[in-house]
Amino acid sequence: MANRTLIKGAEAALPTTVGAASSFGGATLVRLVNTHATNAYLVTLLEDQGGVGIGSFTMPAQAVEYIEKQSAHSLLAANGAVLGAKVGFTN
């Protein structure tokens, strides 16, 4: 049986600056979607809202990704076209 996505929070644009990075309410799983039709954007994972970068990846246009992270870790993107929501998986 395929996993189903459990919605646990409201979808919001990823912040675009380090000091505003979001943990999405302490989420350990975040669903991301790049809503831009043609542009790919960099997504960065930080230790905390203003912290040290852990890693980053380029999210293609119109793509969906699921990011597993620690609850204190925060996300930001190069553009507000990248949206995120706290989610979980259920069977």
Side-chain angles (χ1 to χ4, degrees):
M1 177 179 231
N3 285 335
R4 294 176 291 173
T5 303
L6 177 65
I7 310 276
K8 298 175 94 178
E11 187 174 66
L14 265 68
T16 58
T17 59
V18 172
S22 177
S23 72
F24 285 90
T28 56
L29 184 64
V30 179
R31 179 187 181 270
L32 300 179
V33 58
N34 181 355
T35 61
H36 200 278
T38 58
N39 291 348
Y41 293 112
L42 187 69
V43 174
T44 303
L45 180 65
L46 304 171
E47 286 184 1
D48 56 31
Q49 189 177 38
V52 176
I54 294 170
S56 62
F57 70 98
T58 300
M59 188 162 184
Q62 299 182 331
V64 174
E65 297 289 343
Y66 290 88
I67 305 300
E68 188 173 0
K69 64 181 198 59
Q70 294 179 12
S71 61
H73 291 171
S74 294
L75 292 161
L76 63 89
N79 187 281
V82 180
L83 308 178
K86 181 178 182 176
V87 297
F89 286 133
T90 184
N91 288 332

